[in-house]
Amino acid sequence: VATTLDAINVKALPPTKGMEFDYRTQVYSDAFNVYAAVIRSVWVCLIGLGVAVGLRVAGALTIGPLFLSIATTVSVAVAVSRLLAAETPGRVYAALAFGPLLWLLSVAANTSLLTVLLLTSFLCALHHANQMSRHYALWMHANVFLPRQVRQSWLSVWRPTEWYGYVMEAILPPKVRRHPASELDRLERRERSHYALGFALACVAFLLATLVYLLCVPAPLAGFVAVAVFVIALTAYGIAHALAYDKTVDPRLVFRTLGRAYVSWLTYNFHGTLAAGVFQSPYGFTFGRYLRTVVTLFLISIAVLPVAGYFPLGLPLFGYDSFLDAAATPMPWDGISIQALLNDEPGRIFPPSPDIQLSPDQADYVEHLPADQRDAAKEDLLAFNRTAYARADAAQRLLGRPEAVLWVYLRGFLSRDPRVIVSAMFAFLGCLLAPPAILAAMWLAIGGRVLVHHFLTLEGDGNCKARYHPSERPPLWDTYFQRLRESEFVAEVPEKPGIAERDHLFMGFYADQDYPILLSRAVLAEHAHITGDSGAGKSALGIAPLIHQLIAGGEDSIVVIDLKGDRTLFEAVRDSVARLNAGRDPEARIPFRWFTNRPECATYVFNPFLQEDMRNVTLHQKVEILVKSLGLDYGEGYGTSYYSGVHRFVLKQLLESGVQFDSFRELDDYFRDASGGVWKDIDIRPSLRDDATHLFTTVASLASLDALNITPKHRLPAPVMDQRIDMGKVVRSPHVLYFYMHPALEEAAVRAVAKLALHSLLVAAVRRGASSHRVYTVVDEFQQVASEDLQIFLRQARSAKIPVILANQTLSDLRTKQFDLIPTVLGNTRFRQVFSASDLLQQNILIEASGEAVYEMFSYKQSEGGQVQVAPDGKVWYTATEHIGPRMRRNTIIQASDDECTSLVHVTRGHGFSQFGGFLFPMRCLFHIPLREYQRREEAAWPAQSDHPGTFTPPLDDSRPTAPSG
């Protein structure tokens, strides 16, 4: 029972680290990723502010042994629960260390170790800025339009990219180069030196901010000034350094690039897929990178916010009097000592209020007043003294401990002083924005120029084209195919042969999880089946891209039997061969031959009787090949076996008589001579001749095809016979054959020609023996040649290295009154692709083959009056019931059939990087050519005979080429 609908089987995948496909997965839209990054950042800053203030204010409690014991106990409990839940050791160790680390952080934040914490946070931010820069630089390096040579050269220069790598290379420069220096190398090494300069400038800015802070202490704004100097210095340097790279760069491009990099850092690979071919950040999944940002911002918040006095920005705006007046406001808890709460006098939580007395001058003044005024004057003077004491105490606190400003803000809120309230809002924004501003300034100084450089050279967008991209951008599908084809990555598996990335075919992308689907050639070697209604994209999205990749390998032969006459598919195969041969010597070019029954169209000769291997088989083998190829074997059963035997007997008697014939036309001539000729030399009763009518009519229909009956006796140029289609050559060296058949013209003859081609190919492969050379055979609309012997043919073809790719519209086409080939096809094909499933039979088969999953059905109770019944606690009474159902439901199949570019794929057994657990899954396909190219192929003219000397053009009528005289 599946727990997830994702079909990828990660455990069965070979090692994928180092794969060159590097697809940049993206499940959600750009807008959603920006939203998620903003929300995550706000939460981190809010929690960081709360933790920083909490650790400082509660310092008297958190640095004691009580907090350590509580934190350690909680950590041990969480670690034990994770251990019992069989979670990974890393999660157990992280839970175990969290409590003690939090205690240690509290001690550092509330003691003289704050300086060490400040330096630690700076180094952590420096390292984090380098990590974010490296992540996005590598992400841009994975751009699919980037040529492989540029990628490799770029990586050779930019490794290592950790900050300590630059330090080590500055101390000990490398002496050995992997390859000769090029202009690209020199440019990248210059930019790398500029990148290393950012680390030095960040250290200088840190020292400058520290000096400013020491000079301004004990002013309350000393920390704010130091932070402002640090941020402004790094920002100014980062912008100036980035603009110095290219004077034409818009300053907004710098911030847009950093914004994209930050969003990519927090959201890339949101779903955490480990599928083969996906670009993996060197810093792990999204959660791991987010955790790095959380730790960095926490450290900055804990170290910087107290030093900055929590940004009392209201002091210069409203003056000190507002704060002192707020501090002097009488509150109910005035008996509580501020010193005790701020850890100045531990142990005195509720000290007595200070005894405020009149000064001697004030007492003397009161004594000289009339008796009825003394009490009121004394109370006024005592209130004045209390306010003065409070103001003086508050002033001392503001200069002494940063957390005193928080106490003042609280009293100001309760006193409803608008100036203090506005100041508190400014302080909150300052505390909230300061940590990310510090990190962003460091990132801008370190990675601003390098990311702009990489964006302009590796990535680009609609407004600017990347300089390292090709001058003319190829189709997107072609770039993925080329990257896969040019890869040199080989996965090493213990005790097994290495798995090469280039031995896979690019099929499309997983529709839901957005990762590439790579099909191993070993899977395709055990046959494939493609179905789809007319117009569903079966040829344009399935067959044509598959054939293009097989031809581009240049190592195997391809035979296409097109039983519907698809003009665009023919041109696709023709263009693929031309593209492959474009850069080859004439001797190394792969021959392309085609056969067609279209009138007045140039074609190559395909004569089954002149096949090299057909001449070397035994008499009984030749009879069997002809009977099965011509569809004269009706299977076992009463009546059917008799007529099959009649056909075998007639052909056997004919061959044993010694009569020589080299074509169906010659054989038809013999059959037509009913009054004498061959029938006089063959011992066949007239009744048997009457029962062999199907044999005679089939031969007669094949005799009408000129291109099927050309022999050396005909007066045709020598290249016509020299370059005729011979399956013996196809199974021994790379060839591409295309049988372009029009069934509407001669349905019976077309079906017979297709079966003749298949059996001729099988005979040649069997006679060839063991070989690594494969002949991929594509049969479009193969239901026209389907018969009961298909299972035997598929089994023999697999052992003879003839992978067969069958294509038809629906599974229902394979079920007739005479036979049911659905079990045969499903049992003998390892790869299946469904572009549309409109009939219920195929939908049911897909549902049953998809596997099972656990579902929950929710329900609630409703009274007769229509009101939902509730539980005693006032909540709605819901119930959930688990049940097992198919992994893929009918609605999913219907939606996939409706989508033009979505198909359902089933790999029954995985191999290499094609590991999908044997489950059915939806796949999003790409058109491998643009629409204008498709239209050009659709309207292209048929190849001219003058351009292909090995072809000839049959006449439109039924006239036959004459034999040469003599």
Side-chain angles (χ1 to χ4, degrees), residues 392-408:
D393 185 67
Q396 183 181 2
R397 309 267 171 244
L398 290 175
L399 297 176
R401 189 167 178 83
E403 283 71 25
V405 72
L406 303 178
W407 191 257
V408 173

Side-chain angles (χ1 to χ4, degrees), residues 507-825:
M507 303 301 296
F509 304 100
Y510 198 103
D512 299 327
Q513 302 297 318
D514 191 42
Y515 54 75
I517 304 300
L518 307 180
L519 180 64
S520 173
R521 291 176 182 263
V523 173
L524 196 62
E526 296 188 25
H527 308 320
H529 183 213
I530 302 175
T531 58
D533 296 341
S534 179
K538 181 172 72 275
S539 298
L541 292 171
I543 300 176
L546 195 62
I547 293 177
H548 178 75
Q549 296 183 77
L550 295 175
I551 293 176
E555 303 169 355
D556 302 310
S557 295
I558 315 296
V559 177
V560 181
I561 301 177
D562 182 6
L563 297 175
K564 65 178 180 180
D566 191 335
R567 193 71 181 85
T568 56
L569 184 60
F570 175 80
E571 289 297 325
V573 176
R574 184 184 174 197
D575 290 348
S576 298
V577 177
R579 182 176 177 179
L580 175 65
N581 292 333
R584 292 190 170 192
D585 295 333
E587 295 78 10
R589 293 175 181 172
I590 294 181
F592 175 49
R593 307 280 188 265
W594 66 86
F595 176 89
T596 182
N597 65 333
R598 287 186 59 180
E600 297 185 319
C601 288
T603 179
Y604 285 87
V605 172
F606 171 60
N607 189 335
F609 293 95
L610 298 182
Q611 300 290 303
E612 176 183 351
D613 295 284
M614 282 289 288
R615 289 179 173 272
N616 297 322
V617 298
T618 64
L619 183 146
H620 290 282
Q621 290 174 343
K622 182 176 293 186
V623 170
E624 193 66 26
I625 293 171
L626 290 175
V627 169
K628 291 184 177 299
S629 300
L630 301 180
L632 303 176
D633 187 357
Y634 308 129
E636 301 295 330
Y638 180 77
T640 57
S641 299
Y642 168 77
Y643 286 100
S644 299
V646 169
H647 298 146
R648 287 187 175 88
F649 179 76
V650 171
L651 289 175
K652 174 178 173 295
Q653 291 295 99
L654 178 62
L655 294 176
E656 286 181 343
S657 65
V659 179
Q660 297 295 328
F661 50 89
D662 293 331
S663 67
F664 286 103
R665 185 163 294 168
E666 295 181 2
L667 181 59
D668 182 50
D669 290 339
Y670 286 122
F671 288 156
R672 288 176 183 272
D673 191 3
S675 60
V678 66
W679 298 116
K680 295 179 179 180
D681 303 326
I682 301 177
D683 185 13
I684 300 179
R685 299 191 304 271
S687 60
L688 293 180
R689 292 202 300 268
D690 295 338
D691 293 336
T693 304
H694 190 191
L695 169 63
F696 304 149
T697 56
T698 302
V699 171
S701 64
L702 293 177
S704 64
L705 300 177
D706 289 334
L708 197 68
N709 294 278
I710 298 299
T711 65
K713 302 176 183 178
H714 294 84
R715 298 189 181 95
L716 292 174
V720 173
M721 294 304 300
D722 295 339
Q723 299 183 25
R724 70 182 186 273
I725 297 175
D726 192 333
M727 295 302 181
K729 298 178 180 178
V730 173
V731 300
R732 290 173 176 82
S733 62
H735 281 68
V736 177
L737 303 183
Y738 198 105
F739 287 83
Y740 185 94
M741 311 301 294
H742 259 301
L745 301 178
E746 299 160 303
E747 183 176 356
V750 163
R751 183 165 52 248
V753 170
K755 300 189 73 171
L756 282 168
L758 290 175
H759 285 280
S760 299
L761 180 63
L762 182 60
V763 170
V766 171
R767 288 188 53 80
R768 173 196 59 183
S771 174
S772 60
H773 181 72
R774 290 173 177 169
V775 183
Y776 291 93
T777 304
V778 181
V779 185
D780 195 5
E781 301 296 334
F782 90 99
Q783 75 277 0
Q784 298 188 35
V785 297
S787 58
E788 290 187 351
D789 63 336
L790 181 63
Q791 183 175 1
I792 300 176
F793 173 82
L794 291 177
R795 189 181 302 117
Q796 292 178 343
R798 178 169 49 194
S799 60
K801 296 300 179 75
I802 304 179
V804 180
I805 303 171
L806 306 174
N808 66 297
Q809 293 189 6
T810 65
L811 284 179
S812 299
D813 296 338
L814 308 181
R815 176 176 291 177
T816 64
K817 295 181 179 180
Q818 290 76 23
F819 52 80
D820 183 5
L821 293 181
I822 295 178
T824 298
V825 172

Side-chain angles (χ1 to χ4, degrees), residues 310-334:
Y310 301 98
F311 295 93
L313 301 178
L315 288 179
L317 185 62
F318 301 110
Y320 286 88
D321 291 339
S322 300
F323 285 79
L324 298 179
D325 293 340
T329 303
M331 294 294 169
W333 55 78
D334 282 342

Side-chain angles (χ1 to χ4, degrees), residues 39 46 59 80 125 164 218 274 353 452 460 473 540-541 669 679 684 720 736 741 753 782 791 844 894 948 951:
I39 294 299
L46 287 174
V80 171
Y164 45 79
L274 288 171
S353 302
V452 169
R473 177 169 292 187
L541 292 171
D669 290 339
W679 298 116
I684 300 179
V720 173
V736 177
M741 311 301 294
V753 170
F782 90 99
Q791 183 175 1
N844 294 332
I894 294 174
H948 303 275
T951 64

Side-chain angles (χ1 to χ4, degrees), residues 329-554:
T329 303
M331 294 294 169
W333 55 78
D334 282 342
I336 303 176
S337 173
I338 296 179
Q339 295 92 331
L341 289 178
L342 300 182
N343 200 24
D344 287 344
E345 294 181 18
R348 295 185 61 195
I349 303 301
F350 298 101
S353 302
D355 187 13
I356 303 299
Q357 301 293 334
L358 296 177
S359 65
D361 295 337
Q362 292 174 338
D364 185 61
Y365 169 74
V366 171
E367 288 297 330
H368 287 81
L369 292 175
D372 58 340
Q373 298 179 5
R374 291 177 183 175
D375 292 340
K378 183 178 180 180
E379 290 299 327
D380 292 341
L381 291 175
L382 287 175
F384 175 81
N385 289 345
R386 291 191 187 96
T387 301
Y389 174 82
R391 288 169 62 90
D393 185 67
Q396 183 181 2
R397 309 267 171 244
L398 290 175
L399 297 176
R401 189 167 178 83
E403 283 71 25
V405 72
L406 303 178
W407 191 257
V408 173
Y409 286 147
L410 179 59
R411 297 174 75 100
F413 265 107
L414 295 178
S415 65
R416 299 180 181 179
D417 188 340
R419 295 172 298 179
V420 180
I421 293 176
V422 173
S423 299
M425 295 174 62
F426 284 161
F428 174 76
L429 291 177
C431 295
L432 190 66
L433 299 178
I438 293 173
L439 182 60
M442 294 184 64
W443 190 19
L444 176 61
I446 293 174
R449 171 166 177 152
V450 69
L451 291 183
V452 169
H453 163 66
H454 287 139
F455 180 81
L456 294 177
T457 56
L458 304 181
E459 184 67 14
D461 57 10
N463 299 324
C464 63
K465 184 178 180 180
R467 299 170 187 169
Y468 289 167
H469 286 184
S471 56
E472 294 184 4
R473 177 169 292 187
L476 185 60
W477 183 93
D478 204 45
T479 58
Y480 288 121
F481 161 66
Q482 289 296 334
R483 176 162 293 185
L484 190 63
R485 184 62 192 166
E486 295 173 356
S487 173
E488 297 180 358
F489 172 78
V490 178
E492 300 296 337
V493 182
E495 300 180 357
K496 291 183 180 179
I499 300 175
E501 185 178 5
R502 63 182 302 166
D503 287 341
H504 293 70
L505 305 176
F506 170 63
M507 303 301 296
F509 304 100
Y510 198 103
D512 299 327
Q513 302 297 318
D514 191 42
Y515 54 75
I517 304 300
L518 307 180
L519 180 64
S520 173
R521 291 176 182 263
V523 173
L524 196 62
E526 296 188 25
H527 308 320
H529 183 213
I530 302 175
T531 58
D533 296 341
S534 179
K538 181 172 72 275
S539 298
L541 292 171
I543 300 176
L546 195 62
I547 293 177
H548 178 75
Q549 296 183 77
L550 295 175
I551 293 176

